[in-house]
mmCIF file of all heavy atoms in Angstrom:
data_model
loop_
_atom_site.group_PDB
_atom_site.id
_atom_site.type_symbol
_atom_site.label_atom_id
_atom_site.label_comp_id
_atom_site.label_asym_id
_atom_site.label_seq_id
_atom_site.Cartn_x
_atom_site.Cartn_y
_atom_site.Cartn_z
ATOM 1 N N GLY A 1 -1.326 13.392 7.325
ATOM 2 C CA GLY A 1 -2.597 13.162 6.644
ATOM 3 C C GLY A 1 -3.117 11.756 6.839
ATOM 4 O O GLY A 1 -4.283 11.551 7.209
ATOM 5 N N ILE A 2 -2.277 10.756 6.599
ATOM 6 C CA ILE A 2 -2.730 9.367 6.690
ATOM 7 C C ILE A 2 -2.957 8.943 8.142
ATOM 8 O O ILE A 2 -3.914 8.217 8.442
ATOM 9 C CB ILE A 2 -1.750 8.417 5.958
ATOM 10 C CG1 ILE A 2 -2.408 7.057 5.722
ATOM 11 C CG2 ILE A 2 -0.425 8.289 6.688
ATOM 12 C CD1 ILE A 2 -1.629 6.155 4.769
ATOM 13 N N ILE A 3 -2.115 9.429 9.060
ATOM 14 C CA ILE A 3 -2.328 9.134 10.481
ATOM 15 C C ILE A 3 -3.609 9.806 10.964
ATOM 16 O O ILE A 3 -4.409 9.218 11.702
ATOM 17 C CB ILE A 3 -1.119 9.600 11.312
ATOM 18 C CG1 ILE A 3 0.135 8.794 10.950
ATOM 19 C CG2 ILE A 3 -1.424 9.477 12.811
ATOM 20 C CD1 ILE A 3 0.080 7.332 11.287
ATOM 21 N N GLY A 4 -3.845 11.043 10.528
ATOM 22 C CA GLY A 4 -5.070 11.731 10.900
ATOM 23 C C GLY A 4 -6.307 11.034 10.376
ATOM 24 O O GLY A 4 -7.343 10.975 11.058
ATOM 25 N N ALA A 5 -6.226 10.494 9.148
ATOM 26 C CA ALA A 5 -7.354 9.752 8.588
ATOM 27 C C ALA A 5 -7.696 8.545 9.451
ATOM 28 O O ALA A 5 -8.875 8.256 9.720
ATOM 29 C CB ALA A 5 -7.037 9.324 7.160
ATOM 30 N N LEU A 6 -6.682 7.832 9.906
ATOM 31 C CA LEU A 6 -6.911 6.678 10.776
ATOM 32 C C LEU A 6 -7.483 7.117 12.124
ATOM 33 O O LEU A 6 -8.371 6.445 12.674
ATOM 34 C CB LEU A 6 -5.606 5.910 10.968
ATOM 35 C CG LEU A 6 -5.034 5.238 9.718
ATOM 36 C CD1 LEU A 6 -3.638 4.698 9.991
ATOM 37 C CD2 LEU A 6 -5.949 4.134 9.219
ATOM 38 N N ASN A 7 -6.988 8.220 12.651
ATOM 39 C CA ASN A 7 -7.538 8.755 13.907
ATOM 40 C C ASN A 7 -9.031 9.040 13.764
ATOM 41 O O ASN A 7 -9.830 8.719 14.655
ATOM 42 C CB ASN A 7 -6.816 10.046 14.300
ATOM 43 C CG ASN A 7 -5.415 9.808 14.835
ATOM 44 O OD1 ASN A 7 -5.012 8.679 15.092
ATOM 45 N ND2 ASN A 7 -4.666 10.888 14.996
ATOM 46 N N TYR A 8 -9.397 9.642 12.638
ATOM 47 C CA TYR A 8 -10.805 9.961 12.420
ATOM 48 C C TYR A 8 -11.646 8.687 12.359
ATOM 49 O O TYR A 8 -12.703 8.592 13.012
ATOM 50 C CB TYR A 8 -10.995 10.770 11.130
ATOM 51 C CG TYR A 8 -12.449 10.911 10.761
ATOM 52 C CD1 TYR A 8 -13.266 11.815 11.431
ATOM 53 C CD2 TYR A 8 -13.020 10.097 9.777
ATOM 54 C CE1 TYR A 8 -14.626 11.916 11.125
ATOM 55 C CE2 TYR A 8 -14.379 10.196 9.464
ATOM 56 C CZ TYR A 8 -15.165 11.104 10.140
ATOM 57 O OH TYR A 8 -16.507 11.194 9.846
ATOM 58 N N LEU A 9 -11.215 7.719 11.580
ATOM 59 C CA LEU A 9 -11.985 6.483 11.456
ATOM 60 C C LEU A 9 -12.159 5.800 12.810
ATOM 61 O O LEU A 9 -13.259 5.342 13.147
ATOM 62 C CB LEU A 9 -11.299 5.550 10.456
ATOM 63 C CG LEU A 9 -11.358 5.984 8.986
ATOM 64 C CD1 LEU A 9 -10.466 5.096 8.133
ATOM 65 C CD2 LEU A 9 -12.795 5.959 8.462
ATOM 66 N N SER A 10 -11.098 5.741 13.584
ATOM 67 C CA SER A 10 -11.196 5.127 14.907
ATOM 68 C C SER A 10 -12.169 5.894 15.793
ATOM 69 O O SER A 10 -12.948 5.290 16.555
ATOM 70 C CB SER A 10 -9.815 5.081 15.559
ATOM 71 O OG SER A 10 -9.885 4.534 16.864
ATOM 72 N N SER A 11 -12.179 7.226 15.701
ATOM 73 C CA SER A 11 -13.082 8.038 16.523
ATOM 74 C C SER A 11 -14.543 7.787 16.183
ATOM 75 O O SER A 11 -15.431 8.029 17.005
ATOM 76 C CB SER A 11 -12.755 9.521 16.346
ATOM 77 O OG SER A 11 -13.236 10.022 15.100
ATOM 78 N N LYS A 12 -14.804 7.276 14.965
ATOM 79 C CA LYS A 12 -16.172 6.974 14.536
ATOM 80 C C LYS A 12 -16.560 5.525 14.816
ATOM 81 O O LYS A 12 -17.640 5.082 14.410
ATOM 82 C CB LYS A 12 -16.333 7.267 13.044
ATOM 83 C CG LYS A 12 -16.072 8.718 12.664
ATOM 84 C CD LYS A 12 -17.118 9.661 13.254
ATOM 85 C CE LYS A 12 -18.424 9.577 12.507
ATOM 86 N NZ LYS A 12 -19.405 10.597 12.987
ATOM 87 N N GLY A 13 -15.704 4.786 15.492
ATOM 88 C CA GLY A 13 -16.008 3.403 15.826
ATOM 89 C C GLY A 13 -15.591 2.393 14.784
ATOM 90 O O GLY A 13 -15.845 1.194 14.944
ATOM 91 N N VAL A 14 -14.944 2.837 13.706
ATOM 92 C CA VAL A 14 -14.433 1.912 12.694
ATOM 93 C C VAL A 14 -13.336 1.059 13.314
ATOM 94 O O VAL A 14 -12.514 1.550 14.096
ATOM 95 C CB VAL A 14 -13.896 2.699 11.481
ATOM 96 C CG1 VAL A 14 -13.171 1.795 10.502
ATOM 97 C CG2 VAL A 14 -15.036 3.447 10.790
ATOM 98 N N ASN A 15 -13.304 -0.245 12.987
ATOM 99 C CA ASN A 15 -12.277 -1.105 13.577
ATOM 100 C C ASN A 15 -11.532 -1.961 12.556
ATOM 101 O O ASN A 15 -10.862 -2.929 12.919
ATOM 102 C CB ASN A 15 -12.870 -1.986 14.681
ATOM 103 C CG ASN A 15 -13.932 -2.953 14.182
ATOM 104 O OD1 ASN A 15 -14.137 -3.120 12.967
ATOM 105 N ND2 ASN A 15 -14.629 -3.601 15.109
ATOM 106 N N SER A 16 -11.627 -1.584 11.266
ATOM 107 C CA SER A 16 -10.896 -2.329 10.241
ATOM 108 C C SER A 16 -10.715 -1.438 9.020
ATOM 109 O O SER A 16 -11.608 -0.658 8.681
ATOM 110 C CB SER A 16 -11.672 -3.593 9.853
ATOM 111 O OG SER A 16 -11.008 -4.316 8.831
ATOM 112 N N VAL A 17 -9.560 -1.569 8.361
ATOM 113 C CA VAL A 17 -9.286 -0.823 7.135
ATOM 114 C C VAL A 17 -8.696 -1.785 6.109
ATOM 115 O O VAL A 17 -7.722 -2.482 6.376
ATOM 116 C CB VAL A 17 -8.316 0.348 7.374
ATOM 117 C CG1 VAL A 17 -7.963 1.043 6.064
ATOM 118 C CG2 VAL A 17 -8.919 1.345 8.353
ATOM 119 N N TYR A 18 -9.312 -1.792 4.931
ATOM 120 C CA TYR A 18 -8.954 -2.679 3.808
ATOM 121 C C TYR A 18 -7.973 -1.941 2.897
ATOM 122 O O TYR A 18 -8.189 -0.778 2.551
ATOM 123 C CB TYR A 18 -10.259 -2.999 3.094
ATOM 124 C CG TYR A 18 -10.250 -3.737 1.785
ATOM 125 C CD1 TYR A 18 -10.758 -5.031 1.705
ATOM 126 C CD2 TYR A 18 -9.838 -3.134 0.592
ATOM 127 C CE1 TYR A 18 -10.846 -5.710 0.489
ATOM 128 C CE2 TYR A 18 -9.907 -3.803 -0.613
ATOM 129 C CZ TYR A 18 -10.411 -5.090 -0.669
ATOM 130 O OH TYR A 18 -10.490 -5.746 -1.863
ATOM 131 N N PHE A 19 -6.906 -2.617 2.477
ATOM 132 C CA PHE A 19 -5.965 -1.975 1.551
ATOM 133 C C PHE A 19 -5.145 -3.025 0.816
ATOM 134 O O PHE A 19 -4.818 -4.088 1.355
ATOM 135 C CB PHE A 19 -5.030 -1.006 2.279
ATOM 136 C CG PHE A 19 -4.318 -1.599 3.471
ATOM 137 C CD1 PHE A 19 -3.144 -2.314 3.328
ATOM 138 C CD2 PHE A 19 -4.843 -1.445 4.751
ATOM 139 C CE1 PHE A 19 -2.492 -2.863 4.416
ATOM 140 C CE2 PHE A 19 -4.196 -1.993 5.855
ATOM 141 C CZ PHE A 19 -3.018 -2.701 5.679
ATOM 142 N N LEU A 20 -4.844 -2.726 -0.429
ATOM 143 C CA LEU A 20 -3.938 -3.547 -1.228
ATOM 144 C C LEU A 20 -2.494 -3.206 -0.894
ATOM 145 O O LEU A 20 -2.152 -2.033 -0.667
ATOM 146 C CB LEU A 20 -4.182 -3.296 -2.710
ATOM 147 C CG LEU A 20 -5.463 -3.890 -3.313
ATOM 148 C CD1 LEU A 20 -5.888 -3.094 -4.535
ATOM 149 C CD2 LEU A 20 -5.262 -5.352 -3.674
ATOM 150 N N VAL A 21 -1.630 -4.219 -0.895
ATOM 151 C CA VAL A 21 -0.193 -3.978 -0.761
ATOM 152 C C VAL A 21 0.541 -4.200 -2.079
ATOM 153 O O VAL A 21 1.748 -3.972 -2.166
ATOM 154 C CB VAL A 21 0.439 -4.858 0.345
ATOM 155 C CG1 VAL A 21 -0.041 -4.414 1.714
ATOM 156 C CG2 VAL A 21 0.156 -6.343 0.111
ATOM 157 N N MET A 22 -0.200 -4.657 -3.114
ATOM 158 C CA MET A 22 0.395 -4.853 -4.434
ATOM 159 C C MET A 22 -0.705 -4.702 -5.478
ATOM 160 O O MET A 22 -1.547 -5.585 -5.638
ATOM 161 C CB MET A 22 1.035 -6.240 -4.543
ATOM 162 C CG MET A 22 1.520 -6.586 -5.954
ATOM 163 S SD MET A 22 3.029 -5.742 -6.423
ATOM 164 C CE MET A 22 4.217 -6.997 -5.969
ATOM 165 N N ASN A 23 -0.729 -3.556 -6.162
ATOM 166 C CA ASN A 23 -1.736 -3.384 -7.212
ATOM 167 C C ASN A 23 -1.089 -3.041 -8.553
ATOM 168 O O ASN A 23 -1.730 -2.443 -9.422
ATOM 169 C CB ASN A 23 -2.783 -2.338 -6.817
ATOM 170 C CG ASN A 23 -2.241 -0.918 -6.771
ATOM 171 O OD1 ASN A 23 -1.078 -0.659 -7.063
ATOM 172 N ND2 ASN A 23 -3.086 0.025 -6.398
ATOM 173 N N VAL A 24 0.164 -3.449 -8.734
ATOM 174 C CA VAL A 24 0.832 -3.255 -10.018
ATOM 175 C C VAL A 24 0.021 -3.945 -11.112
ATOM 176 O O VAL A 24 -0.397 -5.097 -10.965
ATOM 177 C CB VAL A 24 2.268 -3.822 -9.973
ATOM 178 C CG1 VAL A 24 2.922 -3.758 -11.347
ATOM 179 C CG2 VAL A 24 3.099 -3.063 -8.948
ATOM 180 N N GLN A 25 -0.228 -3.216 -12.188
ATOM 181 C CA GLN A 25 -1.064 -3.670 -13.307
ATOM 182 C C GLN A 25 -2.531 -3.802 -12.922
ATOM 183 O O GLN A 25 -3.323 -4.361 -13.678
ATOM 184 C CB GLN A 25 -0.541 -4.988 -13.909
ATOM 185 C CG GLN A 25 0.858 -4.872 -14.492
ATOM 186 C CD GLN A 25 1.372 -6.169 -15.091
ATOM 187 O OE1 GLN A 25 0.623 -7.134 -15.252
ATOM 188 N NE2 GLN A 25 2.644 -6.203 -15.420
ATOM 189 N N GLY A 26 -2.901 -3.261 -11.769
ATOM 190 C CA GLY A 26 -4.284 -3.293 -11.348
ATOM 191 C C GLY A 26 -4.965 -1.955 -11.565
ATOM 192 O O GLY A 26 -4.470 -1.090 -12.300
ATOM 193 N N ASP A 27 -6.088 -1.741 -10.892
ATOM 194 C CA ASP A 27 -6.875 -0.537 -11.100
ATOM 195 C C ASP A 27 -6.092 0.735 -10.776
ATOM 196 O O ASP A 27 -6.171 1.722 -11.503
ATOM 197 C CB ASP A 27 -8.145 -0.590 -10.243
ATOM 198 C CG ASP A 27 -9.114 -1.659 -10.720
ATOM 199 O OD1 ASP A 27 -9.055 -2.024 -11.904
ATOM 200 O OD2 ASP A 27 -9.914 -2.136 -9.897
ATOM 201 N N GLY A 28 -5.369 0.707 -9.661
ATOM 202 C CA GLY A 28 -4.628 1.900 -9.268
ATOM 203 C C GLY A 28 -3.218 1.960 -9.811
ATOM 204 O O GLY A 28 -2.703 3.026 -10.148
ATOM 205 N N ASN A 29 -2.553 0.808 -9.870
ATOM 206 C CA ASN A 29 -1.166 0.716 -10.337
ATOM 207 C C ASN A 29 -0.271 1.708 -9.587
ATOM 208 O O ASN A 29 0.583 2.360 -10.177
ATOM 209 C CB ASN A 29 -1.081 0.977 -11.846
ATOM 210 C CG ASN A 29 0.199 0.446 -12.469
ATOM 211 O OD1 ASN A 29 0.688 -0.622 -12.098
ATOM 212 N ND2 ASN A 29 0.753 1.184 -13.416
ATOM 213 N N ASP A 30 -0.457 1.784 -8.266
ATOM 214 C CA ASP A 30 0.240 2.811 -7.499
ATOM 215 C C ASP A 30 0.727 2.346 -6.123
ATOM 216 O O ASP A 30 1.282 3.136 -5.368
ATOM 217 C CB ASP A 30 -0.659 4.050 -7.331
ATOM 218 C CG ASP A 30 -2.071 3.713 -6.868
ATOM 219 O OD1 ASP A 30 -2.281 2.598 -6.345
ATOM 220 O OD2 ASP A 30 -2.972 4.562 -7.043
ATOM 221 N N VAL A 31 0.513 1.074 -5.791
ATOM 222 C CA VAL A 31 0.969 0.543 -4.503
ATOM 223 C C VAL A 31 1.808 -0.697 -4.753
ATOM 224 O O VAL A 31 1.349 -1.638 -5.401
ATOM 225 C CB VAL A 31 -0.219 0.183 -3.581
ATOM 226 C CG1 VAL A 31 0.293 -0.446 -2.281
ATOM 227 C CG2 VAL A 31 -1.070 1.408 -3.275
ATOM 228 N N PHE A 32 3.040 -0.680 -4.253
ATOM 229 C CA PHE A 32 3.913 -1.844 -4.400
ATOM 230 C C PHE A 32 4.986 -1.773 -3.323
ATOM 231 O O PHE A 32 5.518 -0.709 -3.026
ATOM 232 C CB PHE A 32 4.546 -1.890 -5.797
ATOM 233 C CG PHE A 32 5.128 -0.576 -6.260
ATOM 234 C CD1 PHE A 32 6.466 -0.281 -6.067
ATOM 235 C CD2 PHE A 32 4.328 0.374 -6.883
ATOM 236 C CE1 PHE A 32 7.001 0.934 -6.488
ATOM 237 C CE2 PHE A 32 4.842 1.592 -7.303
ATOM 238 C CZ PHE A 32 6.184 1.873 -7.105
ATOM 239 N N PRO A 33 5.335 -2.915 -2.706
ATOM 240 C CA PRO A 33 6.350 -2.931 -1.660
ATOM 241 C C PRO A 33 7.770 -3.013 -2.203
ATOM 242 O O PRO A 33 8.738 -2.934 -1.436
ATOM 243 C CB PRO A 33 6.009 -4.193 -0.866
ATOM 244 C CG PRO A 33 5.433 -5.113 -1.896
ATOM 245 C CD PRO A 33 4.689 -4.224 -2.864
ATOM 246 N N LEU A 34 7.903 -3.186 -3.488
ATOM 247 C CA LEU A 34 9.198 -3.386 -4.143
ATOM 248 C C LEU A 34 9.875 -2.044 -4.405
ATOM 249 O O LEU A 34 9.236 -0.984 -4.360
ATOM 250 C CB LEU A 34 8.989 -4.166 -5.429
ATOM 251 C CG LEU A 34 8.318 -5.533 -5.185
ATOM 252 C CD1 LEU A 34 7.466 -5.939 -6.359
ATOM 253 C CD2 LEU A 34 9.357 -6.585 -4.852
ATOM 254 N N ASN A 35 11.183 -2.083 -4.693
ATOM 255 C CA ASN A 35 11.895 -0.819 -4.849
ATOM 256 C C ASN A 35 11.763 -0.213 -6.237
ATOM 257 O O ASN A 35 12.311 0.839 -6.526
ATOM 258 C CB ASN A 35 13.377 -0.966 -4.458
ATOM 259 C CG ASN A 35 14.154 -1.879 -5.380
ATOM 260 O OD1 ASN A 35 13.617 -2.421 -6.349
ATOM 261 N ND2 ASN A 35 15.430 -2.074 -5.076
ATOM 262 N N ASP A 36 10.984 -0.878 -7.093
ATOM 263 C CA ASP A 36 10.655 -0.331 -8.400
ATOM 264 C C ASP A 36 9.381 -1.018 -8.875
ATOM 265 O O ASP A 36 9.156 -2.202 -8.571
ATOM 266 C CB ASP A 36 11.790 -0.564 -9.404
ATOM 267 C CG ASP A 36 11.537 0.144 -10.726
ATOM 268 O OD1 ASP A 36 11.915 1.325 -10.845
ATOM 269 O OD2 ASP A 36 10.945 -0.476 -11.635
ATOM 270 N N ILE A 37 8.574 -0.320 -9.618
ATOM 271 C CA ILE A 37 7.303 -0.885 -10.052
ATOM 272 C C ILE A 37 7.482 -2.101 -10.960
ATOM 273 O O ILE A 37 6.614 -2.960 -11.062
ATOM 274 C CB ILE A 37 6.447 0.202 -10.753
ATOM 275 C CG1 ILE A 37 4.971 -0.231 -10.812
ATOM 276 C CG2 ILE A 37 7.005 0.539 -12.142
ATOM 277 C CD1 ILE A 37 4.027 0.873 -11.203
ATOM 278 N N ASP A 38 8.653 -2.213 -11.596
ATOM 279 C CA ASP A 38 8.931 -3.353 -12.469
ATOM 280 C C ASP A 38 9.807 -4.416 -11.807
ATOM 281 O O ASP A 38 10.153 -5.414 -12.440
ATOM 282 C CB ASP A 38 9.616 -2.872 -13.756
ATOM 283 C CG ASP A 38 8.724 -1.967 -14.583
ATOM 284 O OD1 ASP A 38 7.521 -2.277 -14.702
ATOM 285 O OD2 ASP A 38 9.213 -0.946 -15.101
ATOM 286 N N GLU A 39 10.149 -4.225 -10.532
ATOM 287 C CA GLU A 39 10.999 -5.170 -9.797
ATOM 288 C C GLU A 39 10.127 -6.261 -9.189
ATOM 289 O O GLU A 39 8.964 -6.045 -8.850
ATOM 290 C CB GLU A 39 11.767 -4.417 -8.700
ATOM 291 C CG GLU A 39 12.621 -5.282 -7.796
ATOM 292 C CD GLU A 39 13.699 -6.028 -8.547
ATOM 293 O OE1 GLU A 39 14.616 -5.391 -9.084
ATOM 294 O OE2 GLU A 39 13.592 -7.279 -8.591
ATOM 295 N N ARG A 40 10.701 -7.466 -9.038
ATOM 296 C CA ARG A 40 9.949 -8.568 -8.436
ATOM 297 C C ARG A 40 10.732 -9.262 -7.316
ATOM 298 O O ARG A 40 10.179 -10.141 -6.653
ATOM 299 C CB ARG A 40 9.576 -9.611 -9.504
ATOM 300 C CG ARG A 40 8.721 -9.053 -10.642
ATOM 301 C CD ARG A 40 7.330 -8.648 -10.194
ATOM 302 N NE ARG A 40 6.577 -8.063 -11.298
ATOM 303 C CZ ARG A 40 6.459 -6.757 -11.534
ATOM 304 N NH1 ARG A 40 7.034 -5.873 -10.709
ATOM 305 N NH2 ARG A 40 5.764 -6.316 -12.563
ATOM 306 N N TYR A 41 11.998 -8.888 -7.096
ATOM 307 C CA TYR A 41 12.831 -9.631 -6.146
ATOM 308 C C TYR A 41 13.472 -8.740 -5.075
ATOM 309 O O TYR A 41 14.173 -9.263 -4.212
ATOM 310 C CB TYR A 41 13.961 -10.362 -6.889
ATOM 311 C CG TYR A 41 13.490 -11.366 -7.906
ATOM 312 C CD1 TYR A 41 13.385 -11.023 -9.254
ATOM 313 C CD2 TYR A 41 13.132 -12.654 -7.520
ATOM 314 C CE1 TYR A 41 12.962 -11.953 -10.197
ATOM 315 C CE2 TYR A 41 12.708 -13.586 -8.464
ATOM 316 C CZ TYR A 41 12.619 -13.226 -9.802
ATOM 317 O OH TYR A 41 12.193 -14.147 -10.735
ATOM 318 N N ARG A 42 13.249 -7.434 -5.108
ATOM 319 C CA ARG A 42 13.916 -6.524 -4.177
ATOM 320 C C ARG A 42 12.915 -5.517 -3.635
ATOM 321 O O ARG A 42 12.169 -4.910 -4.392
ATOM 322 C CB ARG A 42 15.094 -5.820 -4.869
ATOM 323 C CG ARG A 42 16.216 -6.775 -5.217
ATOM 324 C CD ARG A 42 17.191 -6.227 -6.250
ATOM 325 N NE ARG A 42 18.159 -7.251 -6.611
ATOM 326 C CZ ARG A 42 17.929 -8.230 -7.493
ATOM 327 N NH1 ARG A 42 16.767 -8.283 -8.118
ATOM 328 N NH2 ARG A 42 18.851 -9.139 -7.736
ATOM 329 N N PHE A 43 12.948 -5.330 -2.328
ATOM 330 C CA PHE A 43 11.937 -4.531 -1.655
ATOM 331 C C PHE A 43 12.482 -3.157 -1.258
ATOM 332 O O PHE A 43 13.695 -2.935 -1.219
ATOM 333 C CB PHE A 43 11.415 -5.291 -0.431
ATOM 334 C CG PHE A 43 10.688 -6.548 -0.811
ATOM 335 C CD1 PHE A 43 11.381 -7.732 -1.028
ATOM 336 C CD2 PHE A 43 9.316 -6.548 -0.990
ATOM 337 C CE1 PHE A 43 10.724 -8.899 -1.400
ATOM 338 C CE2 PHE A 43 8.639 -7.700 -1.365
ATOM 339 C CZ PHE A 43 9.340 -8.876 -1.575
ATOM 340 N N ASP A 44 11.570 -2.250 -0.971
ATOM 341 C CA ASP A 44 11.909 -0.877 -0.613
ATOM 342 C C ASP A 44 11.912 -0.752 0.909
ATOM 343 O O ASP A 44 10.855 -0.652 1.539
ATOM 344 C CB ASP A 44 10.885 0.080 -1.232
ATOM 345 C CG ASP A 44 11.286 1.536 -1.111
ATOM 346 O OD1 ASP A 44 11.745 1.926 -0.029
ATOM 347 O OD2 ASP A 44 11.141 2.281 -2.100
ATOM 348 N N CYS A 45 13.095 -0.750 1.504
ATOM 349 C CA CYS A 45 13.205 -0.785 2.966
ATOM 350 C C CYS A 45 12.585 0.442 3.622
ATOM 351 O O CYS A 45 11.880 0.325 4.628
ATOM 352 C CB CYS A 45 14.674 -0.905 3.380
ATOM 353 S SG CYS A 45 15.436 -2.494 2.960
ATOM 354 N N SER A 46 12.836 1.621 3.075
ATOM 355 C CA SER A 46 12.322 2.829 3.728
ATOM 356 C C SER A 46 10.809 2.924 3.610
ATOM 357 O O SER A 46 10.116 3.288 4.566
ATOM 358 C CB SER A 46 12.993 4.077 3.142
ATOM 359 O OG SER A 46 12.695 4.241 1.772
ATOM 360 N N LYS A 47 10.269 2.595 2.442
ATOM 361 C CA LYS A 47 8.814 2.628 2.282
ATOM 362 C C LYS A 47 8.144 1.650 3.248
ATOM 363 O O LYS A 47 7.153 1.991 3.914
ATOM 364 C CB LYS A 47 8.416 2.282 0.854
ATOM 365 C CG LYS A 47 6.911 2.308 0.610
ATOM 366 C CD LYS A 47 6.502 1.587 -0.661
ATOM 367 C CE LYS A 47 7.058 2.227 -1.897
ATOM 368 N NZ LYS A 47 6.488 1.642 -3.140
#
């Protein structure tokens, strides 16, 4: 799904995509590179 979305945007001439890598306590509260939403010192290697 996400790869296909990027394929579509590129096919339309789009050349940039904006995204948050940390929105904990923000509007979405759903994107974080850490291994837990309450963690601040350890990251999620597989993600």
Side-chain angles (χ1 to χ4, degrees):
I2 196 168
I3 295 295
L6 294 171
N7 286 350
Y8 170 77
L9 290 171
S10 178
S11 76
K12 300 294 285 186
V14 172
N15 63 10
S16 178
V17 176
Y18 172 112
F19 52 85
L20 287 155
V21 291
M22 173 75 94
N23 69 2
V24 174
Q25 298 180 10
D27 292 336
N29 200 38
D30 48 18
V31 177
F32 47 94
L34 302 149
N35 66 1
D36 187 88
I37 198 168
D38 296 318
E39 176 61 66
R40 301 292 177 264
Y41 300 96
R42 293 163 185 81
F43 295 85
D44 190 316
C45 292
S46 63
K47 180 197 297 189

